[in-house]
Amino acid sequence: MFRRPNLVRRTPFPDSVSRAVVTPLQPSVVYASPDPNALDDQYEGRAKGYTYGREGHPNADVLAQMIDRMEGGAGGIVTGSGMSAVTATILGLLSAGDHIVGGNQLYGRSLRMMTQDLPRWGITSTLADPTDLAAMEAAITPTTKLMLVEVVSNPTLRIADMEGLTRLARDRGLILVVDNTFTTPYGYPAFERGADVVIHSVTKLMAGHSDVTLGYVLARDPARRKAIYDTIVTLGLTPSPWDCWMAERGLYSFDMRHERSQANAAALAEAIAEHPAVSSVLYPGRADHPDHNRAGAVLDGQFGNMVTFCLKGGRDAAVALTRAAPQLPFAPTLGDIGTTLSHPASSSHRGLTPEKRAELGITEGMFRVSVGCEPVALLREDFTTALDAVSALG
Ligand SMILES: *Cc1c(COP(=O)(O)O)cnc(C)c1O
C-alpha cells in the first residue's frame, strides 16, 4: 500500500543566496530552541531570539524600530491598538491609590478609561485644560504620579502648553505621557522634547490606510519600559504580525503623505474660510486660530492635516453637507490617505450633554476634516460642491 508522506512535518524554507528585499511576514506564534540551555540564554538576555508570539515577534520589532527612528528613541513597543498602548502605560506604571492629571480634551476612550474604568481599580484622575498651565498645576495632588496629554485637541485643535507642561512634570516629579497620535513625531518630536513616555495610535496617520489597528509606546526609563512590556505580555495586548507588516508598508510613504496632506490642509482651510456657508475655520496655521502663536513654537510650522470648520446652519446643514459629498467618507477616524469627515456632535462627542459640548465649542454645524493626499484642486472642488449644497438650503 502507498505509504503516505508525513504532511504534518514542515517543509524547510528554501535557501537563497539572494535576499528578499521586502521584510518577510512571520506569522509563527512559536519558536523552537535547540535545547533548554539555549532557551535559558534567550530568557536571561545572553542571546537574542523569539519564543512565543505574545512576548514579541520580528514584524512588531521591525515596525517598532521604524517608529523609534521617527521619535528619536529606542526600544519602543508595538501593541494591538492605540488604546492598548494607553492601557499598558497606565496599568504598567501606576497602582491603586495613584492619581493622574489628564487633558480635558483627550481622545474619548482615554477620557472614559480615566473617568469610568480606572476608578474601579483605585486609580483616580483630574482633568484640566492643557492650554492653561496654572489649571494643570492646580490639578496636581500629593498622590499624582502621571500626566497624560495630547498636543493638539480634538476637535477644536487647541495647542497644549507643551513647554510649560514638560517643565511642570519635571519639577513635580510626574511621568509625562504624551499621546502623539494627532501630531506625529514630524509635527511634535515628543521624545526629543522631553516626554517620559510617548504613545501613538499607529492606526491613524502612521499606518495611513485605515486597514490596521495598532499602537506604539516608547518609554525613556528602562525600568518603566520593562513594566509596560510586562503589562502588554500579561494582558495580551500584542499585535498581529500581519497588521505590523501592513503598517510597515504604510510607513514607507509617511514622509510624502505628511507633506502632501499638510499642504492640502492649509490650502483647504483658506478655501473654505471664504465660503458663505461657513462661519469659522479652525486651523493652527491660520492667524485667527486662538493658539496660532503657540502653534508656531510647539509645532515648528508643522500645522498638521486636521482642519475644523463650522457651518452657519445646524444639524440640517450638517446633513446636507455629508449627503452632497458622498465621495468624502463621513467616518469616525483620521489619518487615512484620503480625506475623511467627522461630525463630533454625532460621533466622538455624542456622549456629552449639549451644554458640555457648547462649553468645548462643539456645535451641530461643526466638522473636523482629516485632510488626505488628493490632488488639491479636486479637494477644493469637492468642498465647494458640498458647501454650495448647504447654501442652497437657504
Ligand atoms: C484613535 C486614537 C486613540 C486610540 O487608538 P486605537 O488604535 O483606535 O485604539 C488614542 N489616542 C488618539 C489621540 C486617537 O486619535
Side-chain angles (χ1 to χ4, degrees):
M1 195 185 141
F2 174 67
R3 192 159 171 273
R4 294 181 181 184
N6 183 352
L7 283 180
V8 169
R9 180 170 300 157
R10 278 168 164 108
T11 304
F13 202 69
D15 284 334
S16 170
V17 288
S18 48
R19 261 182 330 109
V21 172
V22 173
T23 303
L25 171 63
Q26 180 49 273
S28 189
V29 170
V30 283
Y31 291 81
S33 299
D35 60 55
N37 291 339
L39 198 55
D40 280 351
D41 288 346
Q42 264 176 250
Y43 271 118
E44 285 154 31
R46 291 184 294 274
K48 167 90 184 128
Y50 296 96
T51 49
Y52 183 66
R54 183 162 34 71
E55 296 174 0
H57 51 76
N59 289 105
D61 287 348
V62 168
L63 178 60
Q65 284 172 35
M66 285 180 83
I67 305 175
D68 287 351
R69 294 213 310 273
M70 295 169 77
E71 280 288 355
I77 310 167
V78 173
T79 64
S81 65
M83 279 317 298
S84 61
V86 177
T87 305
T89 299
I90 292 176
L91 296 187
L93 300 181
L94 301 188
S95 303
D98 290 341
H99 176 260
I100 303 172
V101 170
N104 59 1
Q105 285 196 50
L106 291 173
Y107 183 67
R109 277 280 152 181
S110 298
L111 287 178
R112 189 203 131 104
M113 185 192 299
M114 290 163 71
T115 54
Q116 296 178 47
D117 301 315
L118 292 175
R120 291 190 287 119
W121 300 307
I123 299 172
T124 55
S125 55
T126 304
L127 304 175
D129 177 358
T131 68
D132 179 351
L133 189 61
M136 291 293 276
E137 181 158 24
I140 297 173
T141 72
T143 58
T144 307
K145 290 274 163 58
L146 183 150
M147 190 186 288
L148 174 62
V149 291
E150 292 171 20
V151 184
V152 177
S153 73
N154 180 40
T156 51
L157 311 182
R158 297 298 305 267
I159 311 293
D161 181 357
M162 292 309 298
E163 205 188 40
L165 293 171
T166 305
R167 201 174 346 103
L168 177 63
R170 197 175 46 229
D171 290 351
R172 304 293 290 266
L174 309 181
I175 306 166
L176 177 64
V177 181
V178 177
D179 178 339
N180 209 16
T181 302
F182 256 57
T183 22
T184 81
Y186 288 16
Y188 182 75
F191 196 67
E192 240 177 73
R193 302 260 179 98
D196 297 304
V197 179
V198 181
I199 287 170
H200 284 281
S201 168
V202 177
T203 313
K204 311 287 174 52
L205 289 149
M206 289 230 178
H209 295 74
S210 304
D211 49 12
V212 292
T213 302
L214 285 176
Y216 166 89
V217 52
L218 172 65
R220 193 176 299 278
D221 174 70
R224 288 187 189 140
R225 185 208 183 265
K226 184 172 183 331
I228 293 169
Y229 169 78
D230 281 327
T231 304
I232 289 166
V233 176
T234 303
L235 299 188
L237 307 177
T238 321
S240 121
W242 168 247
D243 286 351
C244 294
W245 190 91
M246 291 280 280
E248 178 200 334
R249 193 176 192 275
L251 263 186
Y252 290 116
S253 63
F254 179 83
D255 213 279
M256 286 175 280
R257 287 188 283 110
H258 173 76
E259 300 284 325
R260 174 77 167 248
S261 59
Q262 180 165 270
N264 279 357
L268 185 69
E270 295 313 311
I272 57 181
E274 308 285 304
H275 199 283
V278 171
S279 61
S280 61
V281 171
L282 287 167
Y283 184 63
R286 276 172 62 88
D288 64 355
H289 186 281
D291 300 320
H292 177 63
N293 286 339
R294 180 179 288 159
V298 171
L299 303 178
D300 198 17
Q302 302 292 306
F303 299 118
N305 77 313
M306 308 296 282
V307 178
T308 295
F309 66 91
C310 291
L311 299 171
K312 286 178 184 155
R315 175 61 72 105
D316 290 349
V319 170
L321 183 109
T322 52
R323 289 195 171 271
Q327 71 280 30
L328 298 170
F330 167 51
T333 188
L334 66 105
D336 188 73
I337 186 139
T339 297
T340 56
L341 287 178
S342 147
H343 180 249
S346 66
S347 58
S348 52
H349 294 71
R350 68 173 300 122
L352 301 183
T353 60
E355 295 74 37
K356 189 78 197 145
R357 280 200 292 270
E359 216 174 278
L360 293 174
I362 299 167
T363 63
E364 279 292 340
M366 177 184 270
F367 281 91
R368 191 215 61 201
V369 189
S370 171
V371 180
C373 299
E374 295 89 345
V376 69
L378 288 184
L379 205 55
R380 278 207 199 91
E381 242 173 72
D382 283 346
F383 275 88
T384 305
T385 308
L387 290 168
D388 286 349
V390 174
S391 293
L393 284 181

